[in-house]
Amino acid sequence: MTLLLLSTADTDLLAARSVEDPAMPLRLANPVRTPEPDLDGVALVLVRLLGGRRAWDGFDALLAACAERRIPVVAVGGEGAPDAELTAASTVPSGVVADAAAYLREGGPGNLRELVAFLSDTVLLTGHGFAPAVTLPAYGVRGARALDPARPTVGVVYYRAHELSGNTAFVDVLCDAVEAAGGNALPVYVGSLRPDADGRVAAVEELLAGRVDTLVVTVLAGGGSNASDSESWDARALSALDVPVLQGLCVTSSRAEWAASDAGLAPIDAAMQVAIPEFDGRLIGAPFSFKESGPDGVPVYVADPERAARVAGTAVAHARLRHVPNGEKNVALVLSSYPTKHSRVGNAVGLDTPASAVKLLQAMRAAGYDVGAFPEDGDTLVHTLIAAGGHDVEWLTEDQLRAAVARVPLADYETWFATLPDTLRTGMLEHWGPPPGSLYVDDGDIVLAALQYGRVVLMIQPPRGFGENPIAIYHDPDLPPSHHYLAAYRWLEQSFGAHAVVHVGKHGTLEWLPGKGLGLSAGCAPDAVLGDLPLFYPFIVNDPGEGTQAKRRAHATVVDHLVPPMARAESYDEMAQLEQLLDEYAQVQAMDP
């Protein structure tokens, strides 16, 4: 006589697997992965469907099969409120369904053990005896990690169900990585982040407000599973923290499936863990936890230490920005150049980037940043940058290469290059030869097109396109970045010590480098090039598609700017004067030849 527990929440199955001495044997399965559950020897079926009846296409078939075998069915939803449709579909009294839902809502192995006894007694009349559901904390802090006031603090938010089921190893790996990256880790479990009627989330106000500098969230937007949740969801509680919020990706596939996928994330993960959280303004981190097959078919959550280190490093880098005084921050302003011509330096869609760079530097100066003595005019600024040596090989001279201030010694680059995954390193060697390559090299040093003003570096983004058709190469999905490209960003982080990078205007090439479409690995070029550096990206507001690419593949904080005002396309400056003289000449010639 067996109880079959079918739940779309793997945490239910993990908690049930930990139950000691249940009143009746348990058979566990996730209906999404088990379209036709085995009913042989089953005396009672308990179904929990997050998202309601529509979450499982096989629910009607199960009801029919159970009716044929006269097996009672208890069907409950995944929310706090009763699911009327599932209650009506159950073949036991509604009171039994409500009590069963209460046990599951409180969760944990203890309540699961009493739930089994409760159903055994009330439905099968076995007389084992049972205790009522025990109310467990709705939220709390895991453990007691040390919080050093000299370090920035990163909050890690995860589901209460993981805490109660003992599925917390992936949280511990991430928190350990945060501490290894130089931050404090504050792990907090919650039932959801859904605000109450006043827009408040108690866990956020009591455990996180005023205590964290950055938040890594593995909980979905709203924390619920119904469409109505996302429709009524707002981010006021998280916004009130006034800290960067990163979405740490706990994907539903195995690590092997993810590693073999060019897309990176399955559609369900792309929707629930990326697209919906983006509406909150969350930054998109790397996938760091995967579901691996357990010995009894129940998935086990396993963290990838390397990807956890990427999420932690990015989070700590953002958190550190609150602690470093503005006057001590090193910032890089990167101008795109497409194609690689002096005439195209700073080319961005709908933005005057030289003038905008000047405005940004002036604003930074007013905010206490060390910006040195920079040209206060956009034209002068960009011409100064070009005169120092750009990437246009038709104009670049040996003297400019020798005089360049920003340069990467070969030994430094070889050290950075050796840390890359084999797949990326092999591809770069095949396309560009051994370091330092042949591009922008002077006496073994890799030369970068950059100027430094105080603690600010103004840099031209390294080129992607070369040869007879440089434009076609820019978005080649198979061409790895050159040694020069990688060296530039590694120099910003490792040698210049940048606290943040600003890509001035749509769009650069980093977010289009080869790699997975979403959920990047260490072997994906954008991840390898940018590393943990916080990236801020002024981007034209009318192109959310390409801005999303930067958010998802380069953890960018996108700052929208308006489109330029519309104006009649007419002649200007000297051309307008020439046009006027020609008109006057034509009139005079017609009146008095």
Side-chain angles (χ1 to χ4, degrees):
M1 195 166 63
T2 300
L3 186 151
L4 173 60
L5 171 59
L6 296 170
S7 177
T8 55
D10 286 328
T11 47
D12 287 344
L13 307 181
L14 289 169
R17 188 175 62 178
S18 302
V19 171
E20 297 180 359
D21 301 321
M24 58 192 302
L26 298 176
R27 186 180 301 166
L28 311 174
N30 188 319
V32 176
R33 295 189 297 269
T34 314
E36 297 181 7
D38 179 14
L39 295 177
D40 290 345
V42 172
L44 177 64
V45 174
L46 171 60
V47 186
R48 190 185 195 199
L49 301 178
L50 274 66
R53 186 168 185 159
R54 62 186 175 182
W56 180 34
D57 293 337
F59 182 65
D60 290 337
L62 173 73
L63 291 177
C66 288
E68 183 178 344
R69 297 175 180 233
R70 303 181 67 126
I71 300 174
V73 176
V74 181
V76 300
E79 303 303 312
D83 188 310
E85 191 175 18
L86 290 176
T87 300
S90 301
T91 57
V92 299
S94 59
V96 173
V97 177
D99 288 342
Y103 282 102
L104 287 169
R105 183 170 59 251
E106 292 303 329
N111 280 322
L112 264 292
R113 182 181 64 250
E114 298 304 326
L115 169 60
V116 175
F118 164 75
L119 292 176
S120 178
D121 279 8
T122 56
V123 178
L124 303 180
L125 307 177
T126 53
H128 285 287
F130 59 89
V134 175
T135 301
L136 298 175
Y139 51 87
V141 175
R142 173 170 173 75
R145 291 177 177 264
L147 298 178
D148 183 348
R151 287 180 154 206
T153 298
V154 176
V156 177
V157 179
Y158 62 102
Y159 277 118
R160 170 181 179 269
H162 292 305
E163 179 71 19
L164 298 181
S165 64
N167 179 45
T168 54
F170 74 103
V171 177
D172 293 337
V173 169
L174 180 58
C175 290
D176 290 344
V178 167
E179 292 174 347
N184 300 317
L186 180 64
V188 172
Y189 61 86
V190 299
S192 82
L193 289 175
R194 187 186 301 114
D196 60 20
D198 297 324
R200 301 172 58 190
V201 178
V204 171
E205 293 188 359
E206 296 177 18
L207 302 180
L208 297 170
R211 301 182 68 188
V212 298
D213 302 297
T214 298
L215 210 57
V216 176
V217 177
T218 64
V219 175
L220 306 182
S225 55
N226 293 329
S228 59
D229 295 326
S230 58
E231 291 168 2
S232 61
W233 166 248
D234 69 68
R236 278 181 291 170
L238 292 182
S239 298
L241 291 176
D242 192 29
V243 300
V245 180
L246 281 76
Q247 186 74 20
L249 306 182
C250 299
V251 300
T252 58
S253 63
S254 69
R255 190 189 184 287
E257 292 171 331
W258 163 78
S261 170
D262 291 335
L265 299 187
I268 183 65
D269 290 324
M272 300 301 293
Q273 301 204 52
V274 177
I276 294 177
E278 281 176 335
F279 283 102
D280 290 359
R282 301 185 197 181
L283 308 180
I284 305 303
F288 76 97
S289 177
F290 302 87
K291 285 190 177 182
E292 307 295 346
S293 179
D296 52 2
V298 178
V300 178
Y301 288 66
V302 178
D304 178 270
E306 187 280 325
R307 290 290 80 192
R310 172 64 74 228
V311 175
T314 305
V316 171
H318 276 275
R320 192 173 287 121
L321 292 175
R322 298 176 71 91
H323 290 261
V324 178
N326 285 350
E328 299 176 15
K329 286 175 182 164
N330 298 328
V331 179
L333 306 185
V334 179
L335 305 181
S336 61
S337 178
Y338 171 75
T340 312
K341 296 292 182 184
H342 285 336
S343 61
R344 304 291 284 179
V345 170
N347 173 51
V349 177
L351 186 70
D352 184 338
T353 52
S356 298
V358 170
K359 291 287 187 183
L360 179 56
L361 288 168
Q362 291 171 341
M364 292 173 67
R365 182 172 57 198
Y369 288 81
D370 179 2
V371 297
F374 60 90
E376 305 273 346
D377 169 74
D379 288 345
T380 305
L381 182 72
V382 77
H383 281 293
T384 304
L385 181 60
I386 291 171
H391 298 137
D392 191 336
V393 294
E394 294 183 10
W395 299 95
L396 186 62
T397 67
E398 293 295 329
D399 289 340
Q400 288 175 321
L401 286 173
R402 280 192 296 270
V405 176
R407 48 204 310 127
V408 180
L410 178 58
D412 289 351
Y413 178 73
E414 287 179 331
T415 300
W416 305 334
F417 184 68
T419 64
L420 297 180
D422 290 342
T423 52
L424 180 56
R425 194 166 60 246
T426 299
M428 292 178 65
L429 291 172
E430 289 177 354
H431 283 87
W432 307 109
S438 59
L439 304 169
Y440 312 107
V441 175
D442 175 60
D443 194 25
D445 292 347
I446 298 176
V447 176
L448 310 177
L451 295 171
Q452 184 165 349
Y453 298 109
R455 288 182 174 269
V456 175
V457 160
L458 183 68
M459 175 181 286
I460 303 175
Q461 189 172 51
R464 277 277 286 155
F466 304 92
E468 296 180 358
N469 192 357
I471 296 178
I473 295 175
Y474 255 78
H475 298 97
D476 188 327
D478 301 315
L479 180 69
S482 65
H483 296 298
H484 179 249
Y485 201 109
L486 176 65
Y489 282 88
R490 294 297 85 225
W491 178 85
L492 285 176
E493 182 175 41
Q494 300 293 333
S495 299
F496 173 62
H499 293 96
V501 175
V502 180
H503 278 184
V504 187
K506 171 200 166 179
H507 65 75
T509 54
L510 185 144
E511 62 268 27
W512 300 97
L513 294 176
K516 298 180 185 298
L518 190 59
L520 274 56
S521 70
C524 296
D527 185 276
V529 167
L530 186 61
D532 297 333
L533 280 171
L535 174 60
F536 298 88
Y537 213 146
F539 213 91
I540 194 165
V541 72
N542 67 351
D543 193 355
E546 294 197 15
T548 296
Q549 185 84 346
K551 285 178 64 68
R552 296 179 177 183
R553 302 188 81 234
H555 55 254
T557 301
V558 172
V559 182
D560 289 320
H561 66 81
L562 295 178
V563 298
M566 298 294 288
R568 181 183 296 276
E570 296 179 326
S571 300
Y572 55 90
D573 297 338
E574 294 89 347
M575 294 299 296
Q577 296 175 22
L578 179 59
E579 183 178 20
Q580 180 180 355
L581 290 172
L582 289 172
D583 288 342
E584 291 176 358
Y585 181 82
Q587 290 178 350
V588 170
Q589 187 180 44
M591 294 172 60
D592 187 0

